[in-house]
Amino acid sequence: MEVLPLLIEAATALLTACGLAYMVLALWGARAYVRSVRKHSAPADAAPGVTLLKPLKGVDPRMYAGLASHCRQQYAGPVELVFGVHSLTDPAVAEVERLRTEFPEAAIKLVECTQRLGTSGKVSNLVQMLAAAQYEHVVINDSDILVSPHYLTGVMRYFADPRVGMVTAPYLGRTGLGGRERTVWARLEALGISTDFMPGVLTARKLEGGIRFGLGSTLAMSRTALTKAGGMEALVEYLADDYELGKRIAAAGFTVELCGEVVETTVPGYGLKDFWDHQMRWARSTRDSRKLGYVGLGVTYCVPWAILTVIASGGALWSISLLVFSLLARIAVALTVGVGILRDEQVLRDLWLLPVRDLFGLLFWFWSFAGDTVVWRGEEFRLKDGKITRAT
């Protein structure tokens, strides 16, 4: 018997075993997170004033529903919403005026951010919006984020501990109701958020004794912590500004907490190219931000490695048993995090796509090392050490 086929078979079997070990760690991380959320479920004694910062550019189909959900907060303290656009000719301005009409009691400000301070237009706008913020605590999230009426209450209770500098939130991706919006690529993206990305966040949280990064779904922080971390101005050239901001606040001596409030983001009706571009931007951004951890990400895909083991072994019974065990472990993680924690019913709908999503995930991981370009809002950029420059 030739040595090379045996080595390949042994290598894929070992990688499958590593992937199974990761599944156990993911379940462990999920359990630890649930216990932490229960620990912080008591009502807070105080409700400090909060400024919600919402940078806007253009209008997405479900953007207004997300903006309106922030106006329906059942929060005991004062709240203001500060929206920022690069130009008052932006179509998003009409949506802000619509909010003012529907919620006349809401404290709403609109800031025209005329300066371009760096490559990231979003961060550039945030720098200018901060000047209009009234309160010590600010919450930043994307324009399409949909939240519950108890969102601010669930986020702000963590600041009762003066050591907390940032609170971030888990999220799920909501696909369209049907038709062109619910493409297979959109379903794969949403499935990946709930069953791949979020389990990874919970695993990192457990292994590292907490999280030291932020998620763009929610970046709640005190302005004191933000200042000590170097301010928003230092991030105008960064692609993953959410990750970098959490990292800097943690480095400044504060803790970063992952709260129990799950929010929703909208997954567009992607075609293959848009899906590929978005996933590669995500993969290369993570690769650039968490270099050592990202190298190990490849071994977490137990199902693809188990499929390759079946092929390498010529369909041996033991390899088929390993594949079945890998599928069961993968489904256990998907249901525990996606359904049990995130309450994402789409996971049940698309559970049969899980092996396909993992095969794509492994492909994205391999291909992410093949270059340093990313596509963001239709423009191509080069990524180096977290910073982006326009590709020439």
Side-chain angles (χ1 to χ4, degrees):
M1 188 177 291
E2 295 184 10
V3 174
L4 183 58
L6 278 177
L7 290 176
I8 294 174
E9 181 181 331
T12 55
L14 177 60
L15 289 167
T16 304
C18 291
L20 285 169
Y22 170 77
M23 294 298 125
V24 174
L25 289 175
L27 292 171
W28 187 34
R31 180 175 180 270
Y33 168 70
V34 170
R35 294 178 68 179
S36 173
V37 169
R38 289 173 180 167
K39 178 182 175 183
H40 290 91
S41 60
D45 295 332
V50 183
T51 298
L52 288 161
L53 298 177
K54 305 283 287 188
L56 304 177
K57 183 178 181 180
V59 177
D60 299 320
R62 282 182 283 176
M63 185 180 83
Y64 187 79
L67 300 182
S69 71
H70 290 75
C71 296
R72 298 190 179 101
Q73 291 302 297
Q74 297 175 11
Y75 181 64
V79 179
E80 68 169 353
L81 293 94
V82 177
F83 298 97
V85 292
H86 180 63
S87 168
L88 293 179
T89 61
D90 192 299
V93 172
E95 300 297 273
V96 175
E97 294 305 319
R98 181 181 168 191
L99 279 176
R100 282 176 167 158
T101 301
E102 185 176 352
F103 302 96
E105 74 286 355
I108 295 175
K109 298 178 183 177
L110 178 63
V111 178
E112 184 181 18
C113 309
T114 56
Q115 295 178 285
R116 187 61 180 256
L117 305 175
T119 310
S120 174
K122 170 190 169 183
V123 178
S124 179
N125 284 3
L126 283 170
V127 172
Q128 296 165 77
M129 292 161 63
L130 267 171
Q134 179 179 352
Y135 298 113
E136 163 65 11
H137 290 87
V138 296
V139 177
I140 303 168
N141 58 30
D142 293 334
S143 61
D144 66 338
I145 293 294
L146 182 73
V147 301
S148 80
H150 307 290
Y151 168 68
L152 281 180
T153 302
V155 169
M156 295 305 296
R157 62 164 50 109
Y158 286 79
F159 288 105
D161 184 346
R163 296 171 298 178
V164 175
M166 172 180 280
V167 178
T168 191
Y171 66 100
L172 59 91
R174 180 68 61 187
T175 61
L177 298 177
R180 294 181 179 180
E181 287 188 354
R182 194 192 289 178
T183 65
V184 66
W185 311 111
R187 292 164 71 179
L188 287 173
E189 169 122 347
L191 188 64
I193 293 171
S194 292
T195 69
D196 186 9
F197 176 72
M198 285 312 305
V201 170
L202 299 183
T203 304
R205 178 185 176 276
K206 180 60 180 177
L207 292 178
E208 298 175 7
I211 63 172
R212 294 170 179 81
F213 53 87
L215 304 175
S217 55
T218 293
L219 298 171
M221 71 205 87
S222 66
R223 298 176 75 172
T224 298
L226 177 60
T227 300
K228 290 185 177 180
M232 293 298 302
E233 295 87 348
L235 305 176
V236 293
E237 303 294 345
Y238 281 84
L239 175 63
D241 54 272
D242 50 357
Y243 174 89
E244 190 69 24
L245 186 55
K247 175 184 172 183
R248 292 181 179 215
I249 286 178
F254 296 92
T255 61
V256 179
E257 295 285 352
L258 183 66
C259 73
E261 282 293 311
V262 178
V263 304
E264 294 183 12
T265 186
T266 299
V267 178
Y270 285 130
L272 175 57
K273 184 181 185 305
D274 291 334
F275 173 65
W276 179 273
D277 287 343
H278 189 254
Q279 289 294 312
M280 287 309 302
R281 176 164 64 86
W282 210 344
R284 285 178 175 161
S285 173
T286 306
R287 180 204 70 188
D288 218 51
S289 300
R290 295 175 61 87
K291 294 179 174 63
L292 291 178
Y294 187 76
V295 171
L297 180 65
V299 305
T300 67
Y301 294 103
C302 63
V303 173
W305 291 121
I307 292 172
L308 291 173
T309 302
V310 171
I311 296 171
S313 68
L317 181 59
W318 68 267
S319 66
I320 294 174
S321 300
L322 185 63
L323 174 59
V324 171
F325 192 55
S326 298
L327 283 168
L328 291 174
R330 185 69 181 92
I331 289 171
V333 170
L335 295 179
T336 298
V337 178
V339 180
I341 292 177
L342 301 180
R343 306 295 180 188
D344 184 1
E345 74 282 355
Q346 298 171 129
V347 172
L348 295 174
R349 180 195 71 193
D350 294 330
L351 196 62
W352 65 278
L353 287 171
L354 203 55
V356 179
R357 177 61 186 82
D358 285 358
L359 284 166
F360 268 106
L362 186 58
L363 174 61
F364 292 136
W365 178 78
F366 272 117
W367 198 253
S368 68
F369 294 101
D372 61 358
T373 60
V374 296
V375 177
W376 190 21
R377 290 187 176 272
E379 294 185 72
E380 191 172 274
F381 297 88
R382 293 198 178 279
L383 178 64
K384 184 177 180 181
D385 297 328
K387 296 182 179 182
I388 50 174
T389 56
R390 282 185 172 80
T392 53

